Amino acid sequence: MGARSVDRPQWIGELPDEFAPYNASLEPIIKAMLKAATKTDGLVPVHLRTPLSLKISEFSSLTVSCALLSEDFTPATDADYAELRTSAWDLPEGSLFSGSSRPLPADDYARPTLQGTRLPFCVDIFPFPFGYWMGDLLHLGLSLPASYIFDKPISYHCKGGGILTEMNGQPIGRWTTWNDHWNYLYPKGGNTRCGSVSEMRPADIIAAADRFGLKVGWTADIKIWRREKSYDELELVQKSTFFFDDKVIVR
């Protein structure tokens, strides 16, 4: 595949742990984390998934996703707000994750809502063929910018420890992954303690919003699996939220 695990991004810090209390207000914590991320190299995270620390829970995940939202957007009841659709991709060169993204119709990848529109910036790419060693990452989600977001063809290319999204040979996005006190165990409906982030240029985010006539927004899910004793059944505690960007992060 060519991508390798990197260190957990410093801008994430301990902020995900602040989601743990049941009455925690999610929106300000997400904004603080995203603002810290955009100070690094100008790219904006458009899909982030990371576990919380072990002191909170062995099994947990925070997922934050940037999406194009209509003014009347209302999330579907009992659904993961930040979930992505999966797109299969036959690798053009055998086991090498590199090549042009196949065109994806935007209508096929908009997520179900109670009202309005949510069109994520990323889709979860599932490459064929793939090896057993890739299972943890594919279970986590290989979340890459979708072709429908851009008005020109894009390609994916493994380089520098991650997967670059390129247009006309120039990098316009980046996906990286890391392990966080990894072990082979994971809860039903979850994944191992891997993290990943997909990033894009703010100008491309704004251009997509203008082209679709939608607003830039953020959706998030926090999942924590708890149990009193090691032999007890795991119980899932889940919270979700969304908010419009309104030029707070993407400017």
Side-chain angles (χ1 to χ4, degrees):
M1 178 174 164
R4 64 178 184 270
S5 181
V6 299
D7 293 333
R8 187 175 189 261
Q10 290 186 352
W11 51 262
I12 293 179
E14 300 299 320
L15 283 168
D17 289 0
E18 296 185 20
F19 291 100
Y22 183 79
N23 61 350
S25 179
L26 306 187
E27 183 176 334
I29 305 172
I30 295 169
K31 287 180 177 178
M33 191 162 49
L34 294 172
K35 286 180 179 179
T38 57
K39 292 179 181 179
T40 55
D41 59 6
L43 296 178
V44 175
V46 286
H47 195 80
L48 164 71
R49 176 169 283 181
T50 184
L52 280 63
S53 69
L54 286 173
K55 68 183 179 183
I56 301 298
S57 177
E58 181 180 7
F59 306 115
S60 61
S61 69
L62 164 67
T63 306
V64 179
S65 188
C66 190
L68 296 174
L69 306 178
S70 60
E71 290 275 6
D72 61 346
F73 167 67
T74 305
T77 307
D78 298 326
D80 289 349
Y81 289 14
E83 184 181 11
L84 303 178
R85 287 201 186 280
T86 299
S87 174
W89 185 35
D90 289 319
L91 297 179
E93 298 183 41
S95 61
L96 179 63
F97 195 97
S98 181
S100 298
S101 167
R102 68 185 187 89
L104 302 178
D107 291 345
D108 292 348
Y109 290 88
R111 301 301 294 127
T113 65
L114 194 63
Q115 180 175 291
T117 300
R118 176 169 86 87
L119 182 64
F121 279 88
C122 291
V123 296
D124 279 335
I125 302 295
F126 196 97
F128 292 102
F130 72 94
Y132 177 79
W133 64 274
M134 294 171 64
D136 289 332
L137 296 183
L138 296 179
H139 199 189
L140 174 72
L142 198 56
S143 311
L144 301 178
S147 60
Y148 57 72
I149 289 297
F150 306 94
D151 59 359
K152 296 179 182 178
I154 61 169
S155 59
Y156 305 127
H157 180 60
C158 290
K159 187 176 182 180
I163 300 175
L164 299 181
T165 300
E166 298 180 339
M167 181 187 294
N168 295 327
Q170 298 298 314
I172 59 172
R174 177 181 61 209
W175 177 90
T176 50
T177 184
W178 61 91
N179 294 332
D180 194 317
H181 299 90
W182 186 92
N183 64 50
Y184 63 90
L185 300 174
Y186 59 90
K188 182 180 180 180
N191 52 271
T192 58
R193 290 185 64 88
C194 298
S196 70
V197 62
S198 191
E199 301 167 284
M200 284 178 51
R201 301 183 304 185
D204 294 323
I205 296 173
I206 294 170
D210 290 342
R211 192 165 63 255
F212 282 95
L214 297 169
K215 297 186 66 175
V216 177
W218 300 90
T219 55
D221 301 307
I222 177 75
K223 296 181 179 181
I224 303 174
W225 286 267
R226 302 183 186 276
R227 55 186 170 191
E228 291 294 325
K229 301 179 176 64
S230 60
Y231 53 80
D232 288 343
E233 292 290 328
L234 289 166
E235 294 185 2
L236 173 62
V237 177
Q238 180 172 353
K239 296 177 285 186
S240 300
T241 192
F242 80 92
F243 56 91
F244 293 101
D245 186 277
D246 293 331
K247 298 183 180 181
V248 173
I249 309 300
V250 182
R251 304 179 182 180

